Amino acid sequence: METVALVSSYDKEDMASTKVLHSCTILRHRIITNRLHILFHFTVTLLLLYYRISHFFNGNSLPALSWALITISELIFTFIWCLTQAFRWRPLSRTVSINEIPANMNLEGLDVFVCTADPRKEPTMEVMNTIISALALDYPPEKLAVYLSDDGGSYITLYALKEAFSFSKRWLPFCVKYRIKTRCPEAFFSLAKYEELSITDEFSAKKDELEMKYNLFKRNVEKICEDACNYVVFDRPAHAEIIHGDTYMDDNENDEESTKMPLLVYVSRERRPSKPHRFKAGALNALLRVSEKFSNGPYLLVLDCDMYCNDPTSARQAMCFHLDPQMSPSLAFVQFPQMFYNISKNDIYDNQARSAYR
């Protein structure tokens, strides 16, 4: 699978005339503070290691094994700490310009991979919200494909995926028409204030109608979960099913609201108790082999099953790095910082990663 940034439909002359798609700023006001902190921390760490090692050889009454294990642990932590200082040594801030992407640029295909394993541990509705938000990405639908790997082989997940697609046929036109930014339905309907939208009677009526459809969809999925007698099948053959293959919606009640839909595929790889399955890594390898037969997108977006894209332009933002002519063609990964919303309120260790997100 090729991961380097290639734009096959864009020749060199077009690339040379393309505007810069992202800007990089060195945060000079933070460099001095960061480097002073690194120097101080490194000095204290060296003193601590000197104390550990010198007392290990000179202290005859010390418990040798315990002292040696502590010293080795601190050496390992020091090595890990040194590896994490690169982005603090020269902090950068990057800004993308998706409006600078030429209108005639033929964007490359993008395959979205979502993995789930057990409806009991990973609530099915959370997985479906992730799928719907991925389907609603602001990306050419004929170039977008969404794959769900169900490592539990559960009929609950397959049923819910079909229901999610049925709901998304109404949800996507609504998001496009009213320029909705929060395209995860669970997050959108729980908002106290609906972004910066102009609230009209038409919008309110359509929103209420969709909320009723979403609640019905949610009740149906929760009911089948409650009535299920077998959540996971550990011994099963492989199963792949195209939930939606045609990019055009052909059964919308209102032609004015018709829109294109991405490819949506359900994949349940073969599982045998006697053979190792490699967990999520094995599921992603299986998705790579399946996607090669359908869409074969040169770019991959991997999402956890309880994620959602809080900005529909996130895929285009990532492509601003891959397609920027001034970036190295060997660029392989672009990662967005994650914001966690289900952390305890007493989060003294900043596990929500708020500072990194800012």
Side-chain angles (χ1 to χ4, degrees):
M1 198 65 187
E2 197 164 325
T3 56
V4 297
L6 297 177
V7 191
S8 57
S9 58
Y10 219 57
D11 58 30
K12 293 182 179 179
E13 294 181 0
D14 291 333
M15 290 296 290
S17 62
T18 303
K19 296 181 180 179
V20 177
L21 300 181
H22 96 284
S23 61
C24 179
T25 304
I26 300 175
L27 303 178
R28 300 188 182 279
H29 62 283
R30 291 177 55 185
I31 288 180
I32 297 177
T33 306
N34 286 3
R35 292 183 181 181
L36 286 175
H37 178 267
I38 291 172
L39 179 61
F40 174 76
H41 193 285
F42 187 64
T43 303
V44 173
T45 303
L46 288 180
L47 292 174
L48 175 63
L49 292 176
Y50 172 77
Y51 170 78
R52 292 291 186 194
I53 295 173
S54 61
H55 279 67
F56 176 75
F57 290 105
N58 298 330
N60 296 327
S61 60
L62 293 174
L65 179 60
S66 301
W67 198 265
L69 291 175
I70 293 174
T71 304
I72 293 172
S73 300
E74 289 176 344
L75 284 170
I76 294 173
F77 283 127
T78 301
F79 175 70
I80 296 174
W81 176 83
C82 291
L83 294 180
T84 61
Q85 300 312 302
F87 75 97
R88 295 189 179 96
W89 185 259
R90 190 169 178 265
L92 303 175
S93 176
R94 299 184 183 272
T95 305
V96 296
S97 305
I98 58 176
N99 295 329
E100 299 295 337
I101 299 179
N104 62 339
M105 177 180 283
N106 189 14
L107 292 173
E108 294 285 351
L110 176 67
D111 291 345
V112 182
F113 290 172
V114 181
C115 297
T116 186
D118 191 336
R120 292 167 297 185
K121 299 178 181 178
E122 300 164 345
T124 306
M125 279 307 301
E126 287 188 3
V127 181
M128 295 305 113
N129 273 278
T130 302
I131 292 292
I132 294 172
S133 70
L135 290 171
L137 283 171
D138 182 16
Y139 204 81
E142 64 275 7
K143 297 296 184 71
L144 181 64
V146 180
Y147 295 84
L148 174 63
S149 170
D150 178 18
D151 234 13
S154 174
Y155 68 92
I156 299 173
T157 306
L158 180 57
Y159 166 80
L161 186 62
K162 294 179 179 179
E163 290 291 307
F165 175 73
S166 178
F167 172 77
S168 65
K169 290 191 293 184
R170 306 292 181 265
W171 174 248
L172 265 67
F174 173 74
C175 293
V176 173
K177 182 177 181 179
Y178 296 103
R179 299 180 180 179
I180 304 298
K181 183 178 180 181
T182 305
R183 298 194 175 183
C184 170
E186 183 70 31
F188 177 78
F189 292 129
S190 63
L191 290 174
K193 182 180 180 182
Y194 292 102
E195 304 170 2
E196 296 180 357
L197 303 171
S198 56
I199 308 299
T200 62
D201 293 339
E202 180 187 9
F203 169 81
S204 299
K206 192 67 178 177
K207 187 268 296 182
D208 293 340
E209 177 187 353
L210 278 173
E211 191 169 9
M212 290 178 58
K213 291 182 180 294
Y214 175 74
N215 290 330
L216 178 62
F217 156 51
K218 190 174 181 179
R219 285 197 299 270
N220 291 340
V221 173
E222 290 174 348
K223 185 176 186 304
I224 196 172
C225 289
E226 292 174 358
D227 298 340
C229 57
N230 190 9
Y231 285 89
V232 178
V233 181
F234 293 108
D235 189 358
R236 64 178 190 273
H239 176 69
E241 183 174 339
I242 300 177
I243 307 301
H244 180 72
D246 188 1
T247 56
Y248 287 92
M249 288 174 54
D250 53 4
D251 57 350
N252 200 308
E253 297 175 357
N254 189 351
D255 292 336
E256 294 180 356
E257 294 185 353
S258 62
T259 187
K260 295 180 181 180
M261 296 287 290
L263 172 70
L264 179 60
V265 181
Y266 170 86
V267 178
S268 175
R269 61 181 172 135
E270 181 182 7
R271 287 280 296 271
R272 302 300 179 190
S274 59
K275 295 182 179 180
H277 53 82
R278 308 304 180 191
F279 301 98
K280 188 175 182 179
L284 288 174
N285 282 333
L287 287 178
L288 281 173
R289 293 194 293 270
V290 172
S291 67
E292 180 189 5
K293 303 299 181 182
F294 294 106
S295 55
N296 198 26
Y299 293 94
L300 308 175
L301 172 60
V302 181
L303 300 176
D304 285 340
C305 63
D306 57 350
M307 280 182 161
Y308 72 89
C309 304
N310 66 341
D311 189 338
T313 64
S314 55
R316 289 181 179 267
Q317 292 181 40
M319 296 303 288
C320 285
F321 294 98
H322 287 295
L323 303 182
D324 195 325
Q326 296 189 6
M327 290 293 293
S328 170
S330 63
L331 175 66
F333 299 96
V334 174
Q335 181 165 349
F336 289 86
Q338 300 178 22
M339 177 70 82
F340 300 93
Y341 294 101
N342 54 350
I343 303 295
S344 170
K345 293 181 179 180
N346 301 319
D347 179 28
I348 61 175
Y349 298 109
D350 194 27
N351 290 319
Q352 294 185 22
R354 287 167 294 189
S355 58
Y357 195 83
R358 286 194 297 266

